[in-house]
Structure formats: C-alpha cells, structure tokens
Amino acid sequence: AATLMLAAWKRAWASVGLVVLALSLGLMVLARLGPLSFSMNAVLAPILFTCLFSLFALWFQTANRHRLALLFALLAGASLGFATLIRLPSFLLAPGFLILLGLSFRDYRNLRIMVLPIVFAAGVTITGVIPVLINQHDVAGAWYHSTYASVDSAPPTLAPLRANLSYFLGHGPASVDNWALIAGLIGFVGFLLLYSRRDSEHFNRLGLSWKRLAFAASVLWIIPICYFLTHWTTASYYMTPAIFAAVTIAGFGALGIEATNNAVQRFEPRKILSWVALLLILWPGVATFQRAWSNRVVSPAPRQASTHPPILLPSELMDDKAWIWADLLTGSLWYYANKPAFKIHVTDDETRAMLFKFVFDRGERQYLIDDGNDIEKHIKQIEQMGGKLELHGKVDGYPYFLIVWPSEGPG
C-alpha cells in the first residue's frame, strides 16, 4: 500500500507494475510452498530488506548524507548475511548488490565510490560469513569444512548441465517462477523506452543509472543459475530467491529512478514508440493478474487467520533411540518437535544399506515416514534387504512405519 501511495504521489506509473510484480511473486511463493521449505519462506523477507536498504543507501549518498548512507549499506549487508544464515546459497546474491552499490573495478582506487560496497561486505561478513564459519567449526570440526553433504558441496561439473537446463529453464519443476523474469524484463524494457537518457549516466537523485540497475539485476540471477546448473542436487525452489531478488531490485530500482527523476519524459500520444512502451509497461500487471487468477482456489474464505498446527509426535518417535527416515517432513519435525530426522532420498542404495545396518547394530529402532514421491523405491529396497514395515500411525497426515529387520539384520 505504501509503495502504491508513493507511486501515485510521484506519478511513477511506468514502474509501479514492476513493484507489484515483485511483491506478488513473493506472496505466490509463500502460498505455493507452505511447509515444503521453511527456510525458503523465511529468506524472502531479508532479501526484500536488502533491496530496499541498498536503494536507501544510494539515495542518502547522493543527498550527501553520508552517515545515513553508511548505516543503510551496513543494514543491507546485515540483511543479506541473515539470509545467508537461513539459506547458504543466498551468499551468491552478494555480487549483484555490490554492483548496485557502485562496485567498479575501473574505479577501485576511488575510495569514495567504493565505500558503500565495502560497508555492505562488512555487514554480510559480520552477520553471515563469520557465524557460518563458527557453525562449521563446531559441527564439522573445522571452519573450512562444510556441514552440507558431499554431493551438495561438490565442485561444479558440466555432467548434469543437460538435465538441469530442462529442470531449471525448460519445463521442469524449478521453472515455475520463470514467468516473473520474463514479465519483469518486458516491463523494464517498456520503462526504459520512456525514461532512459543516452546523454546522462545519472539522471535522477537516486544516483543510479539504468545500466547499472539492469546489470545488477542480471548478476543477481546469472550467478545462482550458473551454480545450480552445474550441481547434481536440485529442488524446485532453489532458484526462487535469485528470481525474487532480480525482479524486486529491478522493480524498486525503477521506481526509485522514476520517483526521483529530474527530467521526466512524458507519454506522447503521437509517437508509436510511446504506445509500444505503454504495452510493455502494462505487461507485468497483466501477467501477475493472469497468474494469480489461474492459481486461485475456489473455496470459502477462512473465518480467521490460521497457521500450520504444531506437529505432535508419538512418544515412540520422540525417543532418543528412535531414528526417523523421511523426506518432506524433516524440517517440520525439527522446527515443531525438535526431533532430528534424516532425508533418505538424498542418499544412494549403498549409503542407505550402510545406514540401515549401522542403526541395527546399535540395537535402535528405525522408522520411515511415507511423505515423498520417492519413498516407494526406498520401501522396495528395505523389503529386498529382508525388512518389513509395520504401520504405526500418522504424522501430519503421512503414515509412518516401524522397520522390522530379520534377527540377523539387513541383508
């Protein structure tokens, strides 16, 4: 509401559609994911604050209010550092924000230009990098040892590139939010047709050129997509933070440029280019409405706001000697019941066999929650190894089983 009021006050009609697109995308992601990934739900807010604080830092710097500029640059870095604590790949967004704040290898000796990127980097380091290294030291044994599985922390490789191209950029599960990138690009081109100035690098009181804004938004998306395209591990929501960051910085950056423009180029009805720009500018709003309408749920509105009910685990699962193999509920069990569970689908057959044998030799019980699409193949492996599944109840609507092994253990 505040954004729409600002746009109306400043008559910034060419960029408001991009802002609505970004905010609507965030709400759609939250509605779609639900309990699928709690970290994804939590990371969108600090990324949004990183975008806003970065733009405020530029605004105050142009207004010669340097202390406020440094403060907001530090807050922007701290927000991205917090996002990194929530999801480690959020750190890949840092180069895009550094470019937005003025990082330039051509002018690296100009301390005045580089001060905002330096302060931003300090904020990311203090709230994100250092805590992660401390955690790795405590959990993995050394600050340079990752707490991720080896398949997640493996170096890039071109081997999965072909499959990942389809997964992230084709019709795969991770392409669900790519429509926002296309709509944002179309709207941004329409914005530039009316507001770009070839004879001026900085034509607004924000101190931000459209070239730097476009470059920063592109880097926010390009670096993460290159990372995930060259790694084996995939998930439908891995690129969501990068897409949200790129669309958000493009939208709010365009709004900042338009709202602080010193020489607004007005719509000229006699020029075909103006009508082309108008059609492009309207596209993000149309695309957002179409997406929201197609995803609508026809059901009575709830009488009051509700949240995901707490997960109450049976006492046999809460036992310290109980091992839980699951998929989607592993995060939920930790958040709601403080019970560690293990994502069985990220292992291979040999690793699972070793885990089954290891827990059996300890004389401890093993449970399996049927909460994912790939659980069936794990059930078949357990049966092939001589195990039987006894249904003991449900957890958050998903059935769970006690794995009963032969007296000699897994085969």
Side-chain angles (χ1 to χ4, degrees), residues 41 54 65 87 131 149 172 181 184 186 201 204 267 276 299 308 319 368 375:
N41 294 340
S54 298
R65 304 180 69 175
R87 289 190 65 83
L181 281 175
I186 293 174
E201 179 71 12
N204 55 80
F267 181 81
V276 173
S299 60
H308 190 284
D319 193 300
L368 176 71
I375 295 296

Side-chain angles (χ1 to χ4, degrees), residues 195 197 203 260-265:
Y195 287 92
R197 289 288 190 276
F203 56 92
T260 61
N261 204 316
N262 292 318
V264 176
Q265 179 177 339

Side-chain angles (χ1 to χ4, degrees), residues 95-330:
F97 287 109
L98 289 172
I99 291 172
L100 181 76
L101 291 171
L103 178 64
S104 173
F105 293 105
R106 181 182 59 185
D107 299 322
Y108 69 94
R109 294 181 181 178
N110 189 337
L111 185 60
R112 184 177 182 275
I113 294 177
M114 295 294 292
V115 65
L116 291 186
I118 292 174
V119 173
F120 175 87
V124 176
T125 302
I126 294 171
T127 64
V129 175
I130 293 178
V132 167
L133 297 182
I134 293 175
N135 180 67
Q136 291 184 171
H137 179 272
D138 293 340
V139 176
W143 64 269
Y144 50 85
H145 285 163
S146 175
T147 56
Y148 278 72
S150 58
V151 67
D152 291 307
S153 57
T157 174
L158 296 179
L161 181 59
R162 184 175 180 179
N164 286 353
L165 281 172
S166 175
Y167 189 88
F168 287 100
L169 301 178
H171 298 286
S175 64
V176 64
D177 295 320
N178 288 349
W179 68 273
L181 281 175
I182 299 173
L185 177 61
I186 293 174
F188 192 75
V189 171
F191 167 79
L192 293 182
L193 289 178
L194 291 183
Y195 287 92
S196 62
R197 289 288 190 276
R198 295 182 179 180
D199 58 345
S200 176
E201 179 71 12
H202 300 292
F203 56 92
N204 55 80
R205 294 191 299 274
L206 193 63
L208 178 64
S209 70
W210 69 265
K211 294 179 182 179
R212 181 147 58 94
L213 175 61
F215 185 37
S218 300
V219 172
L220 286 173
W221 179 79
I222 289 175
I223 292 181
I225 190 63
C226 289
Y227 175 82
F228 289 116
L229 285 177
T230 55
H231 281 73
W232 287 106
T233 306
T234 59
S236 61
Y237 49 80
Y238 275 0
M239 276 300 296
T240 298
I243 295 174
F244 177 72
V247 174
T248 300
I249 202 60
F252 280 97
L255 176 63
I257 290 175
E258 187 176 11
T260 61
N261 204 316
N262 292 318
V264 176
Q265 179 177 339
R266 300 188 181 281
F267 181 81
E268 299 181 13
R270 296 183 179 181
K271 291 187 176 182
I272 297 179
L273 189 62
S274 294
W275 288 102
V276 173
L278 177 61
L279 292 175
L280 298 179
I281 287 169
L282 293 176
W283 186 262
V286 174
T288 301
F289 178 79
Q290 188 276 332
R291 196 75 180 185
W293 182 261
S294 63
N295 293 337
R296 74 190 188 283
V297 177
V298 182
S299 60
R303 296 182 178 180
Q304 60 184 9
S306 61
T307 59
H308 190 284
I311 296 178
L312 301 178
L313 286 180
S315 58
E316 62 177 338
L317 295 183
M318 288 298 298
D319 193 300
D320 291 339
K321 302 296 184 180
W323 292 65
I324 300 178
W325 316 115
D327 184 3
L328 299 179
L329 284 182
T330 52

